[in-house]
Amino acid sequence: MYHNWLDRWDERRARRGEDGKKKTDLVFDAERAFRGAKDVDTVEEFCLLADQALADPRYFDEPGGSDQGFAKQDGWLKFPSDISTDVEENNVVWAKITESGSFDQALVIFHHWNASARNRQIADYFSHRGITVVEVAMPYHFERSRPGSEHADYMLSANLGRTIQSVRQAVWDGRKLLRWLKSEGYREVSVLGMSLGSWVAGLIAAHDPSVSKASLFLTAGSLADMVWTGRATRSIRASLEPEIGLTDLRRAWGPLNMENHAHRFARPDLDLHVVLAKRDQVVLPELSERFMQRLKEAGARPNILKLNCGHYSLGLPPYILLAGFSLKRFLSRAANSTREMR
């Protein structure tokens, strides 16, 4: 009975903002995603470029730009993004810093798609326990929102190239921020990603050796599968489906599929923590399970917590408390000590 109510609660929560998610057209915009690429006319042409990007081990490496331009004031940090887009607001990265008074550890948080506010409770909770929390705005979110937009439609959409560009921009922004934190003297830097933010945090952890711990909430490997099957992305599937099938979408967004980078999560100096929802209709449990299996096959040993709730009801007691306590233990424990929780 309780779980039936919980499922209905999740469905009501999923309907919020749904009116603003409009069906659009499939757009390639290959030049946004792949350096030096010209616009393409077919799905196959786009997929060939995506194959090349996936084979490039430096695709998510920063361009080696200047570290100048960081400005910190009154608990806020801002700096220029190394990717310039046609939305001026999106080209400046904003982050809220909740300091702990210690330089032992910093936790960088990437929120979920269409997040409307940062989470002061999480920031206060961990900062009071000696962990400085940095909540960064992903592309087209918070201070970086596109003027006039009702949600972060440029971050994830039926525009294949812009979606890749946006996730890549988020990874570059995050890595630039990590480098700044290290220069400020933080001994250990961890990342936390929630839902879409988990793809960003995961790709950063996979490619940046400065990350010692990564916590991924409500995650899976294939962004294409998540969009195709998820409750929150029905309008994107409706936009894509007349022109492209799931098999081609997987290939087109291959660089963003964390399963394709699973071997990178197995490096011995990275600890991995995952929180999953068994009743999730946004990131389906079978997609999460497939990713966990791929990680284990690659040699990674994720610390997994599965909760009997949905995507949105993870934010309700007792689930959010269980997830928070699990994260606290993970961040507090000695590096490279692993344990799987069922």
Side-chain angles (χ1 to χ4, degrees):
M1 181 70 73
Y2 172 73
H3 288 113
N4 288 337
W5 173 86
L6 202 66
D7 293 341
R8 291 194 300 271
W9 188 93
D10 264 279
E11 174 59 24
R12 289 194 299 271
R13 175 60 182 80
R15 292 174 186 162
R16 293 183 188 176
E18 200 166 52
D19 291 342
K21 297 177 181 179
K22 305 296 185 182
K23 183 178 177 182
T24 60
D25 294 325
L26 169 69
V27 178
F28 293 124
D29 259 0
E31 67 276 13
R32 294 185 186 274
F34 312 114
R35 180 178 298 177
K38 297 180 180 179
D39 203 6
V40 301
D41 298 317
T42 68
V43 171
E44 177 62 21
E45 289 177 305
F46 189 96
C47 288
L48 286 172
L49 293 171
D51 292 343
Q52 294 171 14
L54 178 59
D56 181 1
R58 299 183 61 84
Y59 183 72
F60 286 105
D61 287 354
E62 295 174 86
S66 171
D67 285 342
Q68 302 300 315
F70 283 86
K72 180 183 175 185
Q73 184 176 8
D74 299 329
W76 289 91
L77 177 72
K78 67 176 182 177
F79 58 92
S81 176
D82 287 331
I83 288 182
S84 180
T85 69
D86 52 350
V87 177
E88 183 178 352
E89 291 81 358
N90 184 53
N91 299 331
V92 177
V93 186
W94 288 80
K96 180 74 174 71
I97 302 179
T98 306
E99 295 183 343
S100 65
S102 168
F103 286 89
D104 284 342
Q105 189 173 7
L107 175 66
V108 180
I109 298 179
F110 300 86
H111 294 281
H112 59 84
W113 186 40
N114 295 319
S116 59
R118 293 176 172 85
N119 196 314
R120 182 174 179 178
Q121 288 180 315
I122 291 177
D124 288 346
Y125 178 82
F126 283 106
S127 67
H128 290 155
R129 287 157 179 80
I131 300 173
T132 292
V133 175
V134 185
E135 299 175 271
V136 63
M138 293 196 302
Y140 307 106
H141 286 76
F142 301 151
E143 300 82 12
R144 306 174 69 177
S145 296
R146 180 170 64 90
S149 63
E150 297 183 26
H151 69 290
D153 54 343
Y154 274 20
M155 178 78 185
L156 184 62
S157 71
N159 186 318
L160 302 184
R162 194 192 294 274
T163 296
I164 293 177
Q165 181 194 55
S166 297
V167 176
R168 190 187 193 196
Q169 182 179 28
V171 172
W172 282 11
D173 295 343
R175 295 190 68 179
K176 190 172 185 177
L177 174 58
L178 296 183
R179 194 167 66 248
W180 180 84
L181 288 167
K182 283 290 189 177
S183 73
E184 289 291 294
Y186 285 95
R187 179 181 58 82
E188 182 177 338
V189 179
S190 305
V191 293
L192 165 63
M194 306 172 184
S195 194
L196 181 60
S198 74
W199 268 265
V200 176
L203 288 169
I204 291 172
H207 290 83
D208 199 315
S210 69
V211 176
S212 56
K213 293 185 176 74
S215 180
L216 310 179
F217 281 31
L218 306 171
T219 194
S222 172
L223 189 68
D225 281 83
M226 186 276 283
V227 166
W228 201 261
T229 61
R231 174 64 181 82
T233 49
R234 290 176 178 175
S235 63
I236 299 178
R237 175 174 176 171
S239 303
L240 293 168
E241 200 163 16
E243 305 293 339
I244 187 173
L246 177 55
T247 299
D248 283 334
L249 185 61
R250 287 170 177 158
R251 189 176 164 202
W253 282 347
L256 310 183
N257 186 344
M258 290 195 287
E259 292 177 22
N260 293 331
H261 307 281
H263 62 286
R264 293 177 175 268
F265 289 97
R267 58 183 171 89
D269 56 348
L270 175 65
D271 279 347
L272 188 60
H273 172 252
V274 179
V275 176
L276 303 175
K278 295 180 182 180
R279 314 178 77 85
D280 199 333
Q281 294 300 306
V282 175
V283 182
L284 298 188
E286 52 263 39
L287 302 182
S288 301
E289 289 296 334
R290 190 175 76 192
F291 182 37
M292 296 303 101
Q293 184 60 37
R294 182 70 187 90
L295 288 173
K296 293 173 185 178
E297 290 171 354
R301 294 178 294 173
N303 179 327
I304 304 169
L305 173 65
K306 299 177 184 178
L307 298 172
N308 195 16
C309 61
H311 193 86
Y312 301 105
S313 51
L314 177 64
L316 298 176
Y319 308 110
I320 190 60
L321 300 176
L322 295 170
F325 291 149
S326 176
L327 176 60
K328 176 181 177 294
R329 289 194 300 269
F330 171 72
L331 295 175
S332 301
R333 72 185 186 180
N336 302 318
S337 170
T338 58
R339 178 177 72 249
E340 182 171 313
M341 296 178 293
R342 296 291 184 185

